[in-house]
Amino acid sequence: MLSSQSGSRRWTHFHSALILAVQRSAHKWTFEDFAECFPLFVESDRNGSSATYNSISEYIETQNLRDLDKLFTDYNVKEKIDVLHKVVIEAKDRKEKGDLGKDIWKEDLDPRVAVCARTVPVLKSEAARLRKLIAEIEEENRELEAELQEKVKATDDANEQVLKTLDKLDLILQEWKSLPQEEIEAWTAQTVESLSPKLRS
């Protein structure tokens, strides 16, 4: 059911007019229209068909009011109409007192100036918000860049260590290849033979 919270006179009138419009639209489809659509049903059961027609009309009305109530809740319609009512009342009071104020429309007022008076503060506020956001992003980027540089340096150090190790292995391999292989093989064979009796015992 459409919420009927107390509020400004403007809200109360709007609310009442809307309920009346919903009720009228829900019952605009008369029982005669219903009978034309379902003649056999109406002829066979006059009371039952009348009850069905009333149930359908009540459902349409209830559903419409429920949908409107959700819209009003989602968009704070009552609060906004109350604010509008307050602004209108205050403007009427100022007019009666002759207090035109700085913001009142005048024929010689340039529309561009009026628009700027409203939009420039909003734009400045948004620009400040964006500057703050950009500063936060830049700070985050600096932190990420420093972290990345640390990782790159650690990777370079590891690569350098690997290259040094490979150089040492190359040097050892070269020295190994320069040794007299025949003498080593002979010495190895001699050693094996000299150790064989000891191993057997």
Side-chain angles (χ1 to χ4, degrees):
M1 195 66 176
L2 194 60
S3 175
S4 57
Q5 309 160 347
S6 60
S8 64
R9 191 178 73 242
R10 193 175 299 272
W11 162 255
T12 305
H13 288 211
F14 173 77
H15 180 265
S16 300
L18 193 60
I19 287 180
L20 184 60
V22 168
Q23 288 170 343
R24 285 183 179 171
S25 67
H27 296 279
K28 190 173 183 181
W29 188 40
T30 64
F31 181 73
E32 287 71 25
D33 297 328
F34 180 79
E36 284 182 23
C37 292
F38 306 100
L40 295 176
F41 176 48
V42 172
E43 284 176 21
S44 64
D45 186 2
R46 183 81 181 178
N47 291 335
S49 61
S50 178
T52 301
Y53 162 75
N54 288 331
S55 296
I56 292 171
S57 297
E58 286 170 12
Y59 174 79
I60 292 170
E61 179 181 342
T62 304
Q63 190 61 43
N64 285 343
L65 292 174
R66 191 178 292 120
D67 291 346
L68 285 170
D69 196 33
K70 185 177 185 310
L71 281 173
F72 284 3
T73 302
D74 290 348
Y75 294 98
N76 297 322
V77 174
K78 178 190 170 297
E79 291 79 2
K80 290 174 181 174
I81 289 177
D82 286 346
V83 168
L84 173 65
H85 181 72
K86 183 180 176 186
V87 169
V88 170
I89 295 298
E90 288 176 357
K92 285 181 180 177
D93 289 344
R94 283 199 309 270
K95 186 176 180 182
E96 286 176 6
K97 293 174 185 175
D99 178 15
L100 300 179
K102 296 179 180 178
D103 232 356
I104 193 159
W105 175 259
K106 298 175 186 173
E107 289 185 8
D108 60 341
L109 184 63
D110 182 6
R112 187 184 303 259
V113 174
V115 170
C116 288
R118 293 288 187 186
T119 56
V120 167
V122 175
L123 293 174
K124 283 184 177 177
S125 171
E126 187 63 16
R129 187 186 71 80
L130 289 174
R131 278 196 295 272
K132 182 180 177 186
L133 182 62
I134 289 169
E136 290 172 359
I137 291 171
E138 287 176 346
E139 177 62 26
E140 187 178 346
N141 284 344
R142 281 193 290 272
E143 290 174 3
L144 289 172
E145 185 178 359
E147 186 179 339
L148 182 62
Q149 285 176 349
E150 285 178 11
K151 290 182 177 178
V152 167
K153 185 178 182 306
T155 302
D156 290 344
D157 290 347
N159 288 340
E160 187 178 346
Q161 193 64 36
V162 168
L163 290 174
K164 285 180 180 177
T165 304
L166 289 174
D167 288 344
K168 286 179 182 177
L169 288 174
D170 284 341
L171 185 61
I172 290 168
L173 183 62
Q174 291 300 323
E175 289 179 2
W176 174 259
K177 286 181 179 177
S178 66
L179 292 173
Q181 296 298 320
E182 291 179 2
E183 291 180 13
I184 291 173
E185 287 175 6
W187 176 81
T188 304
Q190 254 182 345
T191 305
V192 169
E193 285 176 9
S194 64
L195 291 174
S196 292
K198 293 179 182 178
L199 288 174
R200 286 194 208 97
S201 63

